Every structure is written in C-alpha cells, then in structure tokens.
Amino acid sequence: MGYSAFTDNQIQGDKAVRQELWQKVKDNDEYLYYAIAAMQAGGTKMMVVLNPFLENDLNVDQIPDSWTRYLYPGGTGQYATISDSKIYCFAHPGGAGNGGGYLTSDYIEMSSFWGVLKNLGFVLWSTVAGIKNQVIVEFYSNNKVYISSNTIYDSVANPTARQSFIATIGTIPDYARYIKIKLVGGESSVDVAGTTYFTGISVNPSTEMTTEMIVSATIAEGYTANTVWIDVNSVVIPLPIFGLVNIGFEAEIRTTDVSATASQRFRIGSVYSNENSTVSVSYMSNYYKIENIYIASSSITLIQQLMRAAGSAFNVYGKKSIPKTNIKYII
C-alpha cells in the first residue's frame, strides 16, 4: 500500500463525503506514519526503504505495505512467524514452470542519499539450497521510466540458515533518479521446491558514516578436547537499534600441551570471526572481528568456538574475560 494522491474532484465543496474518501485518508495517514518512523529510526535521510523488514501489512492482504507482489504459477507469498517476528516468505511448490514469487519496493529517490549509491544489504535464507533466488536493483528516470537493472544476487546455492548479505549495486546509469528493489524467491526457471525468507533490506551510500559504542560482555571459561570446531559458552549482547554493524573484541586461549595447537574463533549465527591459534599453556590474548552483520533484533548472541589439533589427548581452554566490546554501526 503506497501513498495515493487526492483528485480535485474528490475534494469539491459540493460533493458528498463518501466512504472511499475516508478510506484514502486513513490509508495515506498510515503510510506517512510508517514512512516518517522509518526515517527517524535511521537518524538521517538515508533510511529511505519503506517497510524494510516487510513486517507492516495494515490491510492484512499478505503483501507488505509499500511493496507490490507477483506470484509465479503455483507459488504462494505470505508471512511466517519465527521467534515472535513476522518474516515474509515465498514458497515454490515444485514442478516445471512453477515458482514462488517476488516483491518490488516503491520508488526510492536517489537524491535523498548522501553520496553515491554503492551497496544493498539484505537478509535471506531458504529451506533448500538449490532453489533459485535473486535480488535485483532497477533504475528509473526522473519521470519514473524504466532504464535498466542490475542483478546483485543470483544463486542456486543459498544459505539454509539466516544470513546477512551486502552486495555491490554496480554501475548506475548517469540519468537514473529512482531505484526499485526486487526480491525474488523461488524463481520459476529452476524446478526445485522450497521456501525462501527475506527481511532487513537497507540501502547504503558509498561514503560510509559510522557511530561507535562500547558495551560490556564476557564469556566464561570453557574447554574442549574436540578436534573439530564446537560451541563452548556464549553471551547475549543487547543492542539499542537495528542496523549493519562490525564487532571487535579481545579473547584468550591456551592449551594444556605445548606440543599441540589450540584454536579459537567466534560466531554470530552463521557469520564467523577470524581464527587464532596458540601452543602456549598460559592464556594468550588475541583480537577478533565479525564484520558486516545486519542486526534485525534487540540483541545478538556471541558464541565462542574452540578446537584442538588431532594427536595426543589434551584440552583447549578459552574465555572472553575482557569486557570491552566495540560495536560500530555502519550507517
């Protein structure tokens, strides 16, 4: 549901007030409410993707407000509830010529961005990897005439767990003034049944501005004798706002056998930090980074992973006893 302008005929003084006029007033009021809320949430004019989490559906038609929907033959598009959040999804039933569908955003005015458009952030995952998903950016002229498009995500090897992406928008036509974003789940040229989920759509300028905050978070000491990566203790970190973030922190690792190597890394969901190793029996401190995580909830869970080298039995110990954790929002 987008904004619908009033016609001169609808506001003539001698016209009776009809239900359709009040309906338009109500729909426009709700549209503008969410548009203003979206901009205020971002703190700048750069939060211009209306209904970026696809959750608002005021007329309950199973189509996110400020987006339009197309369904392929046999396809369905609807909301699913995952961890108390509404997530939009397309289901491909299988069968030649069938598919899921796609959502297309309202026009996004490029003049509202500070700098040149560079990246698009989104969250996507499917129930089966082999389903075909796409994310497409369409370019339009000042008169909203279609110019061309860039397919920035096109895959039949999709994640089967929630994953954040940042894709380069690519070459922009010189005379483009608007863009639209198209989210394709279960494209019909590939006959693979499954469901694809989308959320967290954000457009980022190439001239990044950042805001940083320091939070306190520790992970208790834990150990393992596993020779493959295994989760060993975690911490939940509350965050005040949604957005794209980089996370940096120090943690410690040691081994109980100087002839064997202990390794440590961290993850948030399926996104992993850098890895560090040691043969020291005393704790060694290392710096870890997890970058380009799109946060779409009020907290994140930071999970420690440990692993020992194959060979004689020994334990790997790890912890995050230094509370300081740097959170950098990329606006």
mmCIF file with all atom_site columns, all heavy atoms in Angstrom, residues 62 77-89 125 195 197:
data_model
loop_
_atom_site.group_PDB
_atom_site.id
_atom_site.type_symbol
_atom_site.label_atom_id
_atom_site.label_alt_id
_atom_site.label_comp_id
_atom_site.label_asym_id
_atom_site.label_entity_id
_atom_site.label_seq_id
_atom_site.pdbx_PDB_ins_code
_atom_site.Cartn_x
_atom_site.Cartn_y
_atom_site.Cartn_z
_atom_site.occupancy
_atom_site.B_iso_or_equiv
_atom_site.pdbx_formal_charge
_atom_site.auth_seq_id
_atom_site.auth_comp_id
_atom_site.auth_asym_id
_atom_site.auth_atom_id
_atom_site.pdbx_PDB_model_num
ATOM 1   N N   . GLN A 1 62  ? -1.567 -9.879  3.121  1.00 0.00 ? 62  GLN A N   1
ATOM 2   C CA  . GLN A 1 62  ? -0.395 -10.752 2.957  1.00 0.00 ? 62  GLN A CA  1
ATOM 3   C C   . GLN A 1 62  ? 0.602  -10.197 1.944  1.00 0.00 ? 62  GLN A C   1
ATOM 4   O O   . GLN A 1 62  ? 1.426  -10.933 1.396  1.00 0.00 ? 62  GLN A O   1
ATOM 5   C CB  . GLN A 1 62  ? -0.810 -12.169 2.555  1.00 0.00 ? 62  GLN A CB  1
ATOM 6   C CG  . GLN A 1 62  ? -1.561 -12.925 3.650  1.00 0.00 ? 62  GLN A CG  1
ATOM 7   C CD  . GLN A 1 62  ? -0.704 -13.205 4.880  1.00 0.00 ? 62  GLN A CD  1
ATOM 8   O OE1 . GLN A 1 62  ? 0.341  -13.831 4.801  1.00 0.00 ? 62  GLN A OE1 1
ATOM 9   N NE2 . GLN A 1 62  ? -1.149 -12.723 6.039  1.00 0.00 ? 62  GLN A NE2 1
ATOM 10  N N   . GLY A 1 77  ? 2.920  -16.446 -1.447 1.00 0.00 ? 77  GLY A N   1
ATOM 11  C CA  . GLY A 1 77  ? 3.699  -15.464 -0.702 1.00 0.00 ? 77  GLY A CA  1
ATOM 12  C C   . GLY A 1 77  ? 2.934  -15.082 0.541  1.00 0.00 ? 77  GLY A C   1
ATOM 13  O O   . GLY A 1 77  ? 1.766  -14.684 0.461  1.00 0.00 ? 77  GLY A O   1
ATOM 14  N N   . GLN A 1 78  ? 3.545  -15.220 1.700  1.00 0.00 ? 78  GLN A N   1
ATOM 15  C CA  . GLN A 1 78  ? 2.832  -14.974 2.942  1.00 0.00 ? 78  GLN A CA  1
ATOM 16  C C   . GLN A 1 78  ? 3.812  -14.759 4.092  1.00 0.00 ? 78  GLN A C   1
ATOM 17  O O   . GLN A 1 78  ? 5.028  -14.870 3.918  1.00 0.00 ? 78  GLN A O   1
ATOM 18  C CB  . GLN A 1 78  ? 1.921  -16.158 3.260  1.00 0.00 ? 78  GLN A CB  1
ATOM 19  C CG  . GLN A 1 78  ? 2.670  -17.465 3.426  1.00 0.00 ? 78  GLN A CG  1
ATOM 20  C CD  . GLN A 1 78  ? 1.748  -18.657 3.501  1.00 0.00 ? 78  GLN A CD  1
ATOM 21  O OE1 . GLN A 1 78  ? 0.538  -18.541 3.367  1.00 0.00 ? 78  GLN A OE1 1
ATOM 22  N NE2 . GLN A 1 78  ? 2.315  -19.842 3.724  1.00 0.00 ? 78  GLN A NE2 1
ATOM 23  N N   . TYR A 1 79  ? 3.252  -14.471 5.254  1.00 0.00 ? 79  TYR A N   1
ATOM 24  C CA  . TYR A 1 79  ? 4.064  -14.272 6.449  1.00 0.00 ? 79  TYR A CA  1
ATOM 25  C C   . TYR A 1 79  ? 4.233  -15.579 7.220  1.00 0.00 ? 79  TYR A C   1
ATOM 26  O O   . TYR A 1 79  ? 3.315  -16.392 7.299  1.00 0.00 ? 79  TYR A O   1
ATOM 27  C CB  . TYR A 1 79  ? 3.424  -13.230 7.368  1.00 0.00 ? 79  TYR A CB  1
ATOM 28  C CG  . TYR A 1 79  ? 3.567  -11.820 6.872  1.00 0.00 ? 79  TYR A CG  1
ATOM 29  C CD1 . TYR A 1 79  ? 2.511  -11.177 6.231  1.00 0.00 ? 79  TYR A CD1 1
ATOM 30  C CD2 . TYR A 1 79  ? 4.762  -11.134 7.021  1.00 0.00 ? 79  TYR A CD2 1
ATOM 31  C CE1 . TYR A 1 79  ? 2.648  -9.884  5.773  1.00 0.00 ? 79  TYR A CE1 1
ATOM 32  C CE2 . TYR A 1 79  ? 4.910  -9.844  6.564  1.00 0.00 ? 79  TYR A CE2 1
ATOM 33  C CZ  . TYR A 1 79  ? 3.854  -9.221  5.940  1.00 0.00 ? 79  TYR A CZ  1
ATOM 34  O OH  . TYR A 1 79  ? 3.996  -7.940  5.469  1.00 0.00 ? 79  TYR A OH  1
ATOM 35  N N   . ALA A 1 80  ? 5.425  -15.746 7.763  1.00 0.00 ? 80  ALA A N   1
ATOM 36  C CA  . ALA A 1 80  ? 5.696  -16.818 8.714  1.00 0.00 ? 80  ALA A CA  1
ATOM 37  C C   . ALA A 1 80  ? 6.121  -16.172 10.031 1.00 0.00 ? 80  ALA A C   1
ATOM 38  O O   . ALA A 1 80  ? 6.675  -15.071 10.035 1.00 0.00 ? 80  ALA A O   1
ATOM 39  C CB  . ALA A 1 80  ? 6.799  -17.736 8.192  1.00 0.00 ? 80  ALA A CB  1
ATOM 40  N N   . THR A 1 81  ? 5.857  -16.825 11.137 1.00 0.00 ? 81  THR A N   1
ATOM 41  C CA  . THR A 1 81  ? 6.276  -16.322 12.447 1.00 0.00 ? 81  THR A CA  1
ATOM 42  C C   . THR A 1 81  ? 7.476  -17.123 12.911 1.00 0.00 ? 81  THR A C   1
ATOM 43  O O   . THR A 1 81  ? 7.393  -18.346 13.086 1.00 0.00 ? 81  THR A O   1
ATOM 44  C CB  . THR A 1 81  ? 5.135  -16.432 13.462 1.00 0.00 ? 81  THR A CB  1
ATOM 45  O OG1 . THR A 1 81  ? 4.009  -15.674 13.002 1.00 0.00 ? 81  THR A OG1 1
ATOM 46  C CG2 . THR A 1 81  ? 5.585  -15.892 14.819 1.00 0.00 ? 81  THR A CG2 1
ATOM 47  N N   . ILE A 1 82  ? 8.599  -16.434 13.080 1.00 0.00 ? 82  ILE A N   1
ATOM 48  C CA  . ILE A 1 82  ? 9.841  -17.060 13.515 1.00 0.00 ? 82  ILE A CA  1
ATOM 49  C C   . ILE A 1 82  ? 10.373 -16.268 14.703 1.00 0.00 ? 82  ILE A C   1
ATOM 50  O O   . ILE A 1 82  ? 10.668 -15.081 14.577 1.00 0.00 ? 82  ILE A O   1
ATOM 51  C CB  . ILE A 1 82  ? 10.887 -17.102 12.383 1.00 0.00 ? 82  ILE A CB  1
ATOM 52  C CG1 . ILE A 1 82  ? 10.330 -17.891 11.181 1.00 0.00 ? 82  ILE A CG1 1
ATOM 53  C CG2 . ILE A 1 82  ? 12.192 -17.714 12.881 1.00 0.00 ? 82  ILE A CG2 1
ATOM 54  C CD1 . ILE A 1 82  ? 11.253 -17.909 9.983  1.00 0.00 ? 82  ILE A CD1 1
ATOM 55  N N   . SER A 1 83  ? 10.476 -16.908 15.844 1.00 0.00 ? 83  SER A N   1
ATOM 56  C CA  . SER A 1 83  ? 10.944 -16.255 17.081 1.00 0.00 ? 83  SER A CA  1
ATOM 57  C C   . SER A 1 83  ? 10.166 -14.975 17.349 1.00 0.00 ? 83  SER A C   1
ATOM 58  O O   . SER A 1 83  ? 10.733 -13.919 17.638 1.00 0.00 ? 83  SER A O   1
ATOM 59  C CB  . SER A 1 83  ? 12.446 -15.954 16.988 1.00 0.00 ? 83  SER A CB  1
ATOM 60  O OG  . SER A 1 83  ? 13.181 -17.136 16.813 1.00 0.00 ? 83  SER A OG  1
ATOM 61  N N   . ASP A 1 84  ? 8.837  -15.069 17.232 1.00 0.00 ? 84  ASP A N   1
ATOM 62  C CA  . ASP A 1 84  ? 7.915  -13.965 17.512 1.00 0.00 ? 84  ASP A CA  1
ATOM 63  C C   . ASP A 1 84  ? 8.040  -12.814 16.507 1.00 0.00 ? 84  ASP A C   1
ATOM 64  O O   . ASP A 1 84  ? 7.492  -11.732 16.748 1.00 0.00 ? 84  ASP A O   1
ATOM 65  C CB  . ASP A 1 84  ? 8.108  -13.422 18.941 1.00 0.00 ? 84  ASP A CB  1
ATOM 66  C CG  . ASP A 1 84  ? 7.752  -14.449 19.989 1.00 0.00 ? 84  ASP A CG  1
ATOM 67  O OD1 . ASP A 1 84  ? 6.825  -15.246 19.744 1.00 0.00 ? 84  ASP A OD1 1
ATOM 68  O OD2 . ASP A 1 84  ? 8.397  -14.467 21.047 1.00 0.00 ? 84  ASP A OD2 1
ATOM 69  N N   . SER A 1 85  ? 8.743  -12.994 15.409 1.00 0.00 ? 85  SER A N   1
ATOM 70  C CA  . SER A 1 85  ? 8.863  -11.963 14.383 1.00 0.00 ? 85  SER A CA  1
ATOM 71  C C   . SER A 1 85  ? 8.160  -12.415 13.112 1.00 0.00 ? 85  SER A C   1
ATOM 72  O O   . SER A 1 85  ? 8.174  -13.600 12.766 1.00 0.00 ? 85  SER A O   1
ATOM 73  C CB  . SER A 1 85  ? 10.340 -11.677 14.073 1.00 0.00 ? 85  SER A CB  1
ATOM 74  O OG  . SER A 1 85  ? 10.994 -11.144 15.191 1.00 0.00 ? 85  SER A OG  1
ATOM 75  N N   . LYS A 1 86  ? 7.530  -11.448 12.424 1.00 0.00 ? 86  LYS A N   1
ATOM 76  C CA  . LYS A 1 86  ? 6.916  -11.732 11.130 1.00 0.00 ? 86  LYS A CA  1
ATOM 77  C C   . LYS A 1 86  ? 8.005  -11.697 10.063 1.00 0.00 ? 86  LYS A C   1
ATOM 78  O O   . LYS A 1 86  ? 8.701  -10.695 9.908  1.00 0.00 ? 86  LYS A O   1
ATOM 79  C CB  . LYS A 1 86  ? 5.846  -10.699 10.807 1.00 0.00 ? 86  LYS A CB  1
ATOM 80  C CG  . LYS A 1 86  ? 4.585  -10.811 11.628 1.00 0.00 ? 86  LYS A CG  1
ATOM 81  C CD  . LYS A 1 86  ? 3.659  -9.628  11.399 1.00 0.00 ? 86  LYS A CD  1
ATOM 82  C CE  . LYS A 1 86  ? 3.169  -9.531  9.976  1.00 0.00 ? 86  LYS A CE  1
ATOM 83  N NZ  . LYS A 1 86  ? 2.238  -8.401  9.779  1.00 0.00 ? 86  LYS A NZ  1
ATOM 84  N N   . ILE A 1 87  ? 8.149  -12.788 9.318  1.00 0.00 ? 87  ILE A N   1
ATOM 85  C CA  . ILE A 1 87  ? 9.129  -12.876 8.241  1.00 0.00 ? 87  ILE A CA  1
ATOM 86  C C   . ILE A 1 87  ? 8.383  -13.218 6.953  1.00 0.00 ? 87  ILE A C   1
ATOM 87  O O   . ILE A 1 87  ? 7.560  -14.144 6.931  1.00 0.00 ? 87  ILE A O   1
ATOM 88  C CB  . ILE A 1 87  ? 10.188 -13.961 8.517  1.00 0.00 ? 87  ILE A CB  1
ATOM 89  C CG1 . ILE A 1 87  ? 10.859 -13.721 9.878  1.00 0.00 ? 87  ILE A CG1 1
ATOM 90  C CG2 . ILE A 1 87  ? 11.218 -14.006 7.407  1.00 0.00 ? 87  ILE A CG2 1
ATOM 91  C CD1 . ILE A 1 87  ? 11.701 -12.479 9.944  1.00 0.00 ? 87  ILE A CD1 1
ATOM 92  N N   . TYR A 1 88  ? 8.671  -12.465 5.870  1.00 0.00 ? 88  TYR A N   1
ATOM 93  C CA  . TYR A 1 88  ? 7.969  -12.725 4.625  1.00 0.00 ? 88  TYR A CA  1
ATOM 94  C C   . TYR A 1 88  ? 8.671  -13.836 3.851  1.00 0.00 ? 88  TYR A C   1
ATOM 95  O O   . TYR A 1 88  ? 9.907  -13.900 3.800  1.00 0.00 ? 88  TYR A O   1
ATOM 96  C CB  . TYR A 1 88  ? 7.877  -11.478 3.748  1.00 0.00 ? 88  TYR A CB  1
ATOM 97  C CG  . TYR A 1 88  ? 6.714  -11.579 2.786  1.00 0.00 ? 88  TYR A CG  1
ATOM 98  C CD1 . TYR A 1 88  ? 5.421  -11.303 3.213  1.00 0.00 ? 88  TYR A CD1 1
ATOM 99  C CD2 . TYR A 1 88  ? 6.899  -12.021 1.473  1.00 0.00 ? 88  TYR A CD2 1
ATOM 100 C CE1 . TYR A 1 88  ? 4.339  -11.438 2.363  1.00 0.00 ? 88  TYR A CE1 1
ATOM 101 C CE2 . TYR A 1 88  ? 5.825  -12.162 0.619  1.00 0.00 ? 88  TYR A CE2 1
ATOM 102 C CZ  . TYR A 1 88  ? 4.546  -11.865 1.068  1.00 0.00 ? 88  TYR A CZ  1
ATOM 103 O OH  . TYR A 1 88  ? 3.473  -12.021 0.228  1.00 0.00 ? 88  TYR A OH  1
ATOM 104 N N   . CYS A 1 89  ? 7.858  -14.706 3.231  1.00 0.00 ? 89  CYS A N   1
ATOM 105 C CA  . CYS A 1 89  ? 8.453  -15.831 2.517  1.00 0.00 ? 89  CYS A CA  1
ATOM 106 C C   . CYS A 1 89  ? 7.662  -16.168 1.262  1.00 0.00 ? 89  CYS A C   1
ATOM 107 O O   . CYS A 1 89  ? 6.458  -15.889 1.159  1.00 0.00 ? 89  CYS A O   1
ATOM 108 C CB  . CYS A 1 89  ? 8.544  -17.062 3.417  1.00 0.00 ? 89  CYS A CB  1
ATOM 109 S SG  . CYS A 1 89  ? 6.942  -17.687 4.007  1.00 0.00 ? 89  CYS A SG  1
ATOM 110 N N   . TRP A 1 125 ? 17.400 -16.493 3.433  1.00 0.00 ? 125 TRP A N   1
ATOM 111 C CA  . TRP A 1 125 ? 17.734 -17.906 3.591  1.00 0.00 ? 125 TRP A CA  1
ATOM 112 C C   . TRP A 1 125 ? 16.590 -18.745 3.030  1.00 0.00 ? 125 TRP A C   1
ATOM 113 O O   . TRP A 1 125 ? 15.482 -18.238 2.822  1.00 0.00 ? 125 TRP A O   1
ATOM 114 C CB  . TRP A 1 125 ? 18.039 -18.279 5.032  1.00 0.00 ? 125 TRP A CB  1
ATOM 115 C CG  . TRP A 1 125 ? 16.884 -18.337 5.984  1.00 0.00 ? 125 TRP A CG  1
ATOM 116 C CD1 . TRP A 1 125 ? 16.216 -19.449 6.429  1.00 0.00 ? 125 TRP A CD1 1
ATOM 117 C CD2 . TRP A 1 125 ? 16.266 -17.220 6.664  1.00 0.00 ? 125 TRP A CD2 1
ATOM 118 N NE1 . TRP A 1 125 ? 15.234 -19.105 7.328  1.00 0.00 ? 125 TRP A NE1 1
ATOM 119 C CE2 . TRP A 1 125 ? 15.238 -17.754 7.479  1.00 0.00 ? 125 TRP A CE2 1
ATOM 120 C CE3 . TRP A 1 125 ? 16.472 -15.852 6.651  1.00 0.00 ? 125 TRP A CE3 1
ATOM 121 C CZ2 . TRP A 1 125 ? 14.436 -16.942 8.281  1.00 0.00 ? 125 TRP A CZ2 1
ATOM 122 C CZ3 . TRP A 1 125 ? 15.668 -15.043 7.430  1.00 0.00 ? 125 TRP A CZ3 1
ATOM 123 C CH2 . TRP A 1 125 ? 14.670 -15.589 8.240  1.00 0.00 ? 125 TRP A CH2 1
ATOM 124 N N   . THR A 1 195 ? 11.112 -23.029 0.251  1.00 0.00 ? 195 THR A N   1
ATOM 125 C CA  . THR A 1 195 ? 10.630 -21.734 0.732  1.00 0.00 ? 195 THR A CA  1
ATOM 126 C C   . THR A 1 195 ? 11.814 -20.815 0.980  1.00 0.00 ? 195 THR A C   1
ATOM 127 O O   . THR A 1 195 ? 12.838 -21.244 1.514  1.00 0.00 ? 195 THR A O   1
ATOM 128 C CB  . THR A 1 195 ? 9.822  -21.902 2.029  1.00 0.00 ? 195 THR A CB  1
ATOM 129 O OG1 . THR A 1 195 ? 8.709  -22.774 1.784  1.00 0.00 ? 195 THR A OG1 1
ATOM 130 C CG2 . THR A 1 195 ? 9.305  -20.561 2.537  1.00 0.00 ? 195 THR A CG2 1
ATOM 131 N N   . TYR A 1 197 ? 13.013 -16.933 2.565  1.00 0.00 ? 197 TYR A N   1
ATOM 132 C CA  . TYR A 1 197 ? 12.641 -15.884 3.508  1.00 0.00 ? 197 TYR A CA  1
ATOM 133 C C   . TYR A 1 197 ? 13.481 -14.629 3.239  1.00 0.00 ? 197 TYR A C   1
ATOM 134 O O   . TYR A 1 197 ? 14.677 -14.720 2.969  1.00 0.00 ? 197 TYR A O   1
ATOM 135 C CB  . TYR A 1 197 ? 12.879 -16.353 4.947  1.00 0.00 ? 197 TYR A CB  1
ATOM 136 C CG  . TYR A 1 197 ? 12.094 -17.588 5.315  1.00 0.00 ? 197 TYR A CG  1
ATOM 137 C CD1 . TYR A 1 197 ? 12.592 -18.860 5.042  1.00 0.00 ? 197 TYR A CD1 1
ATOM 138 C CD2 . TYR A 1 197 ? 10.852 -17.484 5.931  1.00 0.00 ? 197 TYR A CD2 1
ATOM 139 C CE1 . TYR A 1 197 ? 11.867 -20.004 5.373  1.00 0.00 ? 197 TYR A CE1 1
ATOM 140 C CE2 . TYR A 1 197 ? 10.125 -18.616 6.270  1.00 0.00 ? 197 TYR A CE2 1
ATOM 141 C CZ  . TYR A 1 197 ? 10.638 -19.873 5.986  1.00 0.00 ? 197 TYR A CZ  1
ATOM 142 O OH  . TYR A 1 197 ? 9.921  -20.995 6.319  1.00 0.00 ? 197 TYR A OH  1
#
